[in-house]
């Protein structure tokens, strides 16, 4: 699994002109799934994200997690994180997971993250044309890949 995690003041996702989800202070998480990803990748990523310390403490030092600040999360599926651009100028996404493989892992990730945060997680819609709006706070943007755990 590959993610782009952005610390945000607010974020929202709109589909066909209707707002599907919105959050305030927390994370916008773009999530890409690879055909070889498993539930083990979900478990590792949820633990890593919820314990990531990128929120400011009383001294404005990035020392607090999303749990510490009771932040919110919005998760948007993002197959383009697996773009292959080595040949030519038109990317291909042959490394991105199929819908059959990816949807259950996406849903599991969202459910597990919601349980870890103790609150609902905002979502997009898998495979939909989404408009994502955000105000990156910092800016703080972290990329993670479960294939680089070590």
């Amino acid at each position: 699994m590959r993610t782009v995690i952005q610390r945000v003041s607010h974020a929202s996702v709109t589909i066909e002109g209707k707002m599907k989800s919105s959050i305030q202070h927390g994370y916008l998480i773009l999530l890409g799934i690879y055909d070889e990803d498993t539930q083990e990748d979900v478990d590792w990523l949820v633990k890593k994200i919820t314990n990531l310390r990128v929120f400011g403490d009383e001294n404005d030092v990035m020392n607090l997690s999303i749990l510490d600040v009771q932040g919110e999360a919005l998760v948007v599926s993002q197959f383009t994180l697996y773009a292959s651009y080595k040949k030519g100028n038109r990317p291909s996404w042959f490394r991105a997971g199929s819908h059959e493989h990816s949807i259950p892992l996406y849903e599991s990730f969202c459910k597990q993250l919601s349980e870890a945060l103790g609150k609902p997680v905002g979502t997009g819609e898998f495979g939909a044309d989404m408009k994502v709006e955000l105000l990156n706070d910092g800016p703080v943007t972290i990329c993670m890949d479960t294939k680089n755990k070590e």
Side-chain angles (χ1 to χ4, degrees):
M1 295 183 138
R2 192 172 281 173
T3 62
V4 175
I5 302 151
Q6 297 180 72
R7 187 180 74 183
V8 297
S9 296
H10 61 82
S12 65
V13 62
T14 301
I15 302 168
E16 295 180 5
K18 294 182 182 175
M19 186 176 296
K20 168 98 169 53
S21 298
S22 67
I23 64 163
Q24 294 302 311
H25 185 65
Y27 290 147
L28 169 64
I29 301 170
L30 305 177
L31 179 68
I33 299 170
Y34 182 59
D35 263 333
E36 294 178 13
D37 289 331
T38 66
Q39 185 61 42
E40 183 180 310
D41 293 297
V42 170
D43 298 344
W44 182 86
L45 200 53
V46 167
K47 184 177 180 183
K48 200 69 166 167
I49 288 172
T50 54
N51 291 295
L52 185 66
R53 298 182 335 182
V54 296
F55 291 92
D57 63 14
E58 65 279 352
N59 297 315
D60 206 26
V61 174
M62 285 197 272
N63 203 27
L64 302 175
S65 72
I66 191 168
L67 296 170
D68 296 326
V69 300
Q70 300 178 339
E72 298 179 284
L74 173 59
V75 182
V76 177
S77 62
Q78 187 74 47
F79 76 94
T80 60
L81 292 177
Y82 280 101
S84 177
Y85 46 83
K86 291 182 179 182
K87 237 178 168 179
N89 293 318
R90 184 173 184 261
S92 75
W93 291 278
F94 67 92
R95 295 184 305 168
S98 66
H99 280 175
E100 296 76 29
H101 179 75
S102 300
I103 291 173
L105 288 175
Y106 172 77
E107 290 173 350
S108 176
F109 176 85
C110 293
K111 181 177 185 263
Q112 210 168 316
L113 183 61
S114 176
E115 289 169 358
L117 295 175
K119 60 180 73 175
V121 167
T123 63
E125 184 178 309
F126 199 92
D129 180 18
M130 297 174 272
K131 307 301 179 208
V132 178
E133 239 181 283
L134 69 135
L135 180 58
N136 194 316
D137 179 17
V140 174
T141 302
I142 308 286
C143 299
M144 285 187 194
D145 193 318
T146 59
K147 301 304 178 240
N148 297 325
K149 291 178 194 170
E150 276 127 69

